[in-house]
């Protein structure tokens, strides 16, 4: 990225700061337009060139294209059996369960019920629990979910204030900041409700991987007694404050200096900012694509799917989560995964949680499988679903979660009839 791009980012930061200051003084409506544009550049750390690229096509045409993709894009339509867990502060956490297809050798009309040996209950199946990342929701695992439906028991959940889960009670009632530690306890509540017994495989992407680490830190006995494998995708165990988002030094220093204050100010006027955010949808779309994907040939419907998930996260939720990442440090918690089958996977061109962070995790878990995907960005599970699903299926086989003879395929399948609906 050029120095001129860095200067553009710094200018955007300055504009955002000016907007926040005006808002605090009472001129919020006049400042919203400036903040709506500047926040997009600052929050994702994009260069001004992204906006230029988006402006080369008529706005009306882009709007029609988005509507067409929204109406035809099948991604995110898979649903399972719904359930709800409750966090320590009372926050409602929404999850869905996909159960495996019945064993063909189990009871049928022509086969009598098999007697249990000495009356003992059959062991609980392995449950794979998927945790999503910041500004996403459980549907970000769409391709992996399509491939695994009917093969293994899976649980997908929405983190607090994301997707179908409720707004964080501690945040809305007590004005308490979100912490990664709190997310780890939320995951424990989901496991207690959706998979109270039996072996577990933990899968986490980005913030979801940090949530898995926080779970291990707070509940090491659970890891030791029930977890049989772990997958950490595009995540970090700490030092996120050093990430430069692909910006030159001048740009990233400016972003770090003012972004927390800008986000806080904008989060306090969420309704007005959301209007400005919609008005600058083209700019946001370019930013989201740059920081989500690396390859040039990403399916436009997949890119729009990612855009919709991120757009659906309210600006005040974006703001309340942001400080938690600088405080995140779960390096020591990784020791709880020693001796387990572990997959560490990342895109080499990930600008959000750089692949060096995954390499650092793998360095502390020498028995882990490290997979670096050359032409991939942050949303590697959407960008290269076949590869991610293959490596995940191999992990499940090594952990005994699925038989070696089972074929896991259907990466792009979107039929909701494949499982509970």
């Amino acid at each position: 990225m050029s120095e001129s791009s860095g200067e553009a980012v710094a200018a955007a930061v300055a504009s955002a700061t000016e907007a926040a200051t005006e808002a605090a003084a009472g001129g919020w409506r006049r400042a919203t337009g400036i903040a709506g544009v500047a926040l997009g550049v600052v929050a994702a750390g994009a260069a001004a060139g992204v906006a230029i690229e988006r402006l080369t096509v008529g706005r009306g045409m882009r709007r029609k294209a988005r509507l067409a993709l929204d109406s035809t894009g099948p991604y995110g339509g898979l649903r399972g059996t719904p359930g709800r867990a409750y966090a320590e502060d009372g926050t409602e956490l929404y999850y869905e369960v996909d159960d495996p297809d019945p064993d063909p050798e189990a009871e049928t009309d022509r086969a009598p019920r098999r007697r249990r040996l000495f009356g003992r209950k059959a062991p609980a199946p392995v449950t794979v629990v998927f945790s999503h990342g910041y500004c996403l929701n459980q549907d970000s695992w769409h391709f992996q979910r399509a491939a695994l439906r009917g093969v293994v028991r899976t649980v997908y959940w929405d983190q607090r204030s994301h997707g179908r889960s409720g707004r964080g009670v501690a945040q809305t009632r007590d004005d308490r900041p979100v912490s990664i530690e709190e997310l780890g306890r939320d995951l424990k509540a989901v496991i207690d409700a959706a998979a109270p017994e039996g072996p577990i495989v933990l899968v986490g992407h980005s913030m979801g991987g940090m949530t898995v680490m926080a779970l291990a830190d707070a509940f090491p006995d659970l890891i030791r007694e029930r977890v049989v494998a772990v997958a950490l995708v595009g995540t970090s165990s700490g030092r996120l404050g050093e990430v430069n988002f692909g910006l030159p030094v001048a740009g990233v220093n400016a972003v770090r200096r003012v972004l927390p204050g800008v986000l806080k100010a904008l989060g306090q006027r969420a309704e007005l900012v959301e209007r400005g955010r919609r008005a600058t949808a083209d700019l946001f779309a370019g930013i989201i694509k740059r920081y989500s994907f690396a390859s040039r040939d990403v399916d436009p419907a997949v890119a729009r799917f990612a855009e919709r998930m991120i757009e659906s996260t309210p600006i005040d939720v974006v703001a309340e989560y942001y400080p938690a990442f600088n405080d995140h440090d779960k390096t020591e918690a990784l020791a709880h995964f020693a001796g387990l089958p572990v997959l560490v996977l990342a895109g080499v061109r990930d600008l959000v949680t750089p692949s060096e962070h995954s390499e650092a995790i793998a360095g502390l878990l020498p028995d882990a499988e490290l997979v670096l995907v050359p032409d991939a960005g942050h949303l590697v599970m959407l960008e290269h679903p076949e590869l991610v699903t293959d490596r995940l299926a191999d992990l499940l086989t090594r952990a005994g979660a699925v038989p070696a003879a089972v074929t896991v395929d259907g990466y792009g399948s979107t039929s909701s009839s494949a499982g509970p609906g």
Side-chain angles (χ1 to χ4, degrees):
M1 183 174 295
S2 66
E3 283 298 321
S4 61
S5 295
E7 292 171 2
V9 173
V13 172
S15 297
T17 307
E18 177 186 353
T21 302
E22 291 186 28
W28 182 263
R29 291 182 183 276
R30 185 159 57 91
T32 302
I34 303 171
V37 176
L39 175 65
V41 179
V42 175
V50 173
I52 295 172
E53 176 189 352
R54 301 298 295 181
L55 293 175
T56 58
V57 181
R59 178 176 295 178
M61 185 179 297
R62 291 194 302 275
R63 182 174 180 274
K64 289 179 181 178
R66 285 197 298 271
L67 290 173
L69 290 172
D70 287 347
S71 64
T72 61
Y75 308 115
L78 299 177
R79 299 269 64 90
T81 303
R84 286 169 176 79
Y86 292 89
E88 291 178 349
D89 64 352
T91 299
E92 185 177 89
L93 304 170
Y94 178 83
Y95 67 83
E96 293 180 358
V97 178
D98 287 354
D99 284 308
D101 290 337
D103 184 342
E105 295 183 1
E107 178 185 3
T108 67
D109 292 338
R110 292 173 295 177
R113 182 188 300 272
R114 293 184 176 183
R115 294 182 179 179
R116 293 174 181 164
L117 183 61
F118 300 113
R120 292 178 183 172
K121 185 171 62 174
V126 175
T127 300
V128 188
V129 182
F130 287 81
S131 299
H132 68 79
Y134 180 44
C135 296
L136 300 172
N137 59 54
Q138 64 176 269
D139 292 339
S140 62
W141 297 107
H142 173 87
F143 290 106
Q144 291 69 44
R145 185 171 190 168
L148 293 174
R149 282 166 80 86
V151 175
V152 63
R153 187 174 192 269
T154 50
V155 172
Y156 305 86
W157 69 294
D158 294 328
Q159 304 240 29
R160 63 173 53 221
S161 302
H162 289 70
R164 294 173 173 81
S165 284
R167 289 299 304 270
V169 171
Q171 287 70 53
T172 56
R173 182 192 64 197
D174 306 328
D175 197 28
R176 191 178 76 196
V178 176
S179 69
I180 302 298
E181 289 76 18
E182 184 174 41
L183 302 184
R185 295 191 295 272
D186 288 354
L187 176 53
K188 177 60 161 56
V190 170
I191 291 172
D192 287 346
E197 58 181 4
I200 299 169
V201 175
L202 299 171
V203 183
H205 167 251
S206 191
M207 182 178 77
M210 302 173 205
T211 300
V212 168
M213 297 175 210
L215 175 76
D217 193 36
F219 304 99
D221 290 347
L222 174 71
I223 306 300
R224 183 175 59 254
E225 295 169 5
R226 296 187 56 197
V227 173
V228 295
V230 178
L232 301 171
V233 181
T235 190
S236 171
S237 61
R239 303 180 70 175
L240 286 168
E242 300 174 8
V243 175
N244 65 13
F245 303 107
L247 293 171
V249 174
V252 74
N253 285 344
V255 168
R256 288 174 180 156
R257 186 170 62 252
V258 305
L259 183 55
V262 171
L263 282 174
K264 183 176 181 180
L266 296 178
Q268 291 170 349
R269 295 292 188 275
E271 183 177 348
L272 291 174
V273 174
E274 291 298 341
R275 296 176 191 170
R277 194 177 180 189
R278 290 191 292 272
T280 57
D282 292 326
L283 176 61
F284 272 94
I287 292 166
I288 290 168
K289 186 175 181 181
R290 169 172 169 75
Y291 284 90
S292 298
F293 308 108
S295 47
R296 292 179 175 272
D297 58 348
V298 174
D299 181 347
V302 171
R304 176 58 187 155
F305 170 47
E307 195 181 319
R308 288 203 317 271
M309 281 191 287
I310 296 170
E311 285 175 346
S312 69
T313 307
I315 191 64
D316 48 337
V317 173
V318 176
E320 70 189 21
Y321 265 82
Y322 182 78
F325 300 111
N326 280 339
D327 297 334
H328 167 63
D329 183 358
K330 288 291 175 285
T331 303
E332 293 184 2
L334 295 172
H336 298 299
F337 302 140
L340 292 174
V342 176
L343 168 66
V344 181
L345 187 148
V348 171
R349 295 168 62 188
D350 187 337
L351 299 176
V352 180
T353 50
S355 58
E356 290 82 3
H357 288 239
S358 289
E359 292 182 84
I361 291 172
L364 295 171
L365 295 170
D367 295 329
E369 178 188 15
L370 174 64
V371 178
L372 301 179
V373 187
D375 192 23
H378 190 57
L379 299 187
V380 60
M381 68 283 190
L382 292 175
E383 188 171 13
H384 295 285
E386 297 91 346
L387 187 151
V388 174
T389 303
D390 279 343
R391 303 323 308 150
L392 186 57
D394 182 67
L395 177 73
L396 296 179
T397 301
R398 286 189 285 132
V402 297
V406 169
T407 299
V408 175
D409 56 14
Y411 312 112
S413 172
T414 57
S415 171
S416 59
S417 62

